[in-house]
Amino acid sequence: MDSSVRKGKASLEKAESMLPTPFWGLLSWFLSDSRSQYEDAAEEFVRAGTHFKMAKDFTSAAAAFTRASDCYARCGEQALAAARLGDAAACARHNGQPAAHADVTASMARAAELYCSNGNLSSAARLFQDIGDLNRGAGEFQSAAEAYQRAADLYEAESKPSLATGCIVVVAEVLAQAGKHQEAAETFETAARHCRSGGRPKGFQVQEHLLRAAICHVAAEDLVAARRAYDQCVGHERSFAEHRNGVLLNRVIDAVDPRDAAALTDVVDEFEYRTAPSPWMLSMLRSIQETFATASELA
């Protein structure tokens, strides 16, 4: 047996022996320093988790750090409880088991709630962003969108509008990935409003969000809303009509309106060849192209 595993098991047994029994724990809470017992046990669980991690036994390490978190929570040490859950989540990400993803996100969510209860909203927001990243990577788009939105709300509460807007943009991207194009368009428009309402509005970002909203409206086959978004872009920056993005959007709408699949294919191919579109934008354009090509074949 690896020496680190032996040390981990020894620390685990020691930590368990430090915990008060159920009856005595309740009584000692009033009569003696039960808090110190939980603190000492927590430290020993952390040692066990560290030893298991060194031995690359990440499942046991995650369990030990979770036990440490429980002990710290009983002491009212919410920040330490949250930090140890973060350690547990990091270990769970390594074990590669089918249940690992659920274990990781559950631990991270618990840690985020502990940070919230302790008033550390920024740390909670970062954890919700990480949860969103994990869920997005796993194809769980609805859960990802909810996590990113929670992060946005927390950043907003902390008066960090730039970070909040960044999360709102990712919510919109994820909704579009999930095929919820109308919701995605509305969320991009919300991001544009956030940029406008800031003390120093960033013109390029407003235009970019409105452009993405328009593309989502096209995907949702709401060409009236797409035209409205185009007009908003021009109203925000008159040169948009001559800019390559403005020309692209106008040509896409013109091709979709009469359902000219060939013209739409030419526009998308030219845009990909002449520019370096983001993976998200190219994916959306290809999706629109495929949708209308299929519709034309069935007509």
Side-chain angles (χ1 to χ4, degrees):
M1 183 186 296
D2 186 285
S3 63
S4 294
V5 173
R6 283 198 300 272
K7 291 177 181 178
K9 289 185 175 181
S11 291
L12 200 61
E13 291 177 5
K14 185 176 180 181
E16 295 284 2
S17 69
M18 290 176 171
L19 295 172
T21 61
F23 173 76
W24 178 246
L26 179 63
L27 186 61
S28 64
W29 186 264
F30 300 99
L31 300 180
S32 65
D33 191 9
S34 176
R35 177 191 176 101
S36 66
Q37 289 180 275
Y38 281 111
E39 286 178 341
D40 292 343
E43 291 175 5
E44 202 61 43
F45 278 125
V46 170
R47 290 191 189 92
T50 302
H51 287 308
F52 286 130
K53 188 165 68 170
M54 290 174 63
K56 300 189 184 304
D57 182 353
F58 295 110
T59 299
S60 297
F65 285 128
T66 299
R67 294 296 303 280
S69 175
D70 291 340
C71 290
Y72 280 127
R74 284 176 175 270
C75 302
E77 297 284 356
Q78 304 299 334
L80 288 173
R84 297 295 75 78
L85 277 175
D87 292 337
C91 290
R93 292 177 75 166
H94 283 282
N95 70 22
Q97 298 298 318
H101 174 76
D103 291 343
V104 170
T105 54
S107 292
M108 294 172 77
R110 285 176 60 198
E113 295 300 344
L114 285 171
Y115 278 129
C116 285
S117 66
N118 200 41
N120 193 344
L121 303 188
S122 291
S123 293
R126 285 192 291 272
L127 276 175
F128 278 117
Q129 280 184 277
D130 290 340
I131 292 170
D133 291 342
L134 288 171
N135 286 335
R136 187 180 188 181
E140 297 177 7
F141 298 124
Q142 186 60 44
S143 297
E146 290 169 0
Y148 288 127
Q149 185 60 58
R150 186 72 188 278
D153 294 340
L154 290 169
Y155 281 132
E156 192 72 29
E158 284 283 82
S159 299
K160 296 181 177 180
S162 294
L163 293 174
T165 302
C167 289
I168 291 170
V169 169
V170 183
V171 171
E173 290 179 347
V174 171
L175 288 171
Q177 281 183 278
K180 298 183 177 182
H181 299 122
Q182 193 60 46
E183 289 183 53
E186 293 168 0
T187 307
F188 276 125
E189 289 168 350
T190 297
R193 286 194 295 273
H194 274 236
C195 287
R196 281 177 172 150
S197 64
R200 298 173 60 187
K202 298 180 175 63
F204 173 77
Q205 290 184 1
V206 172
Q207 190 180 101
E208 179 70 14
H209 301 331
L210 290 174
L211 170 65
R212 290 183 166 203
I215 292 295
C216 289
H217 281 308
V218 172
E221 301 187 47
D222 188 347
L223 300 184
V224 173
R227 284 287 184 196
R228 184 172 62 245
Y230 173 84
D231 291 340
Q232 287 180 318
C233 287
V234 174
H236 182 75
E237 178 58 60
R238 299 192 66 82
S239 64
F240 178 77
E242 285 75 41
H243 188 272
R244 68 169 181 254
N245 285 339
V247 173
L248 163 73
L249 178 56
N250 202 28
R251 289 179 63 189
V252 166
I253 296 173
D254 286 343
V256 168
D257 198 2
R259 292 185 177 274
D260 189 340
L264 181 59
T265 298
D266 290 341
V267 172
V268 175
D269 288 346
E270 182 181 340
F271 181 71
E272 182 180 7
Y273 177 75
R274 290 179 177 274
T275 67
S278 68
W280 183 90
M281 179 65 76
L282 184 58
S283 174
M284 285 297 299
L285 290 171
R286 289 297 182 197
S287 176
I288 294 169
Q289 177 188 347
E290 291 171 9
T291 298
F292 283 91
T294 302
S296 297
E297 291 173 2
L298 296 174

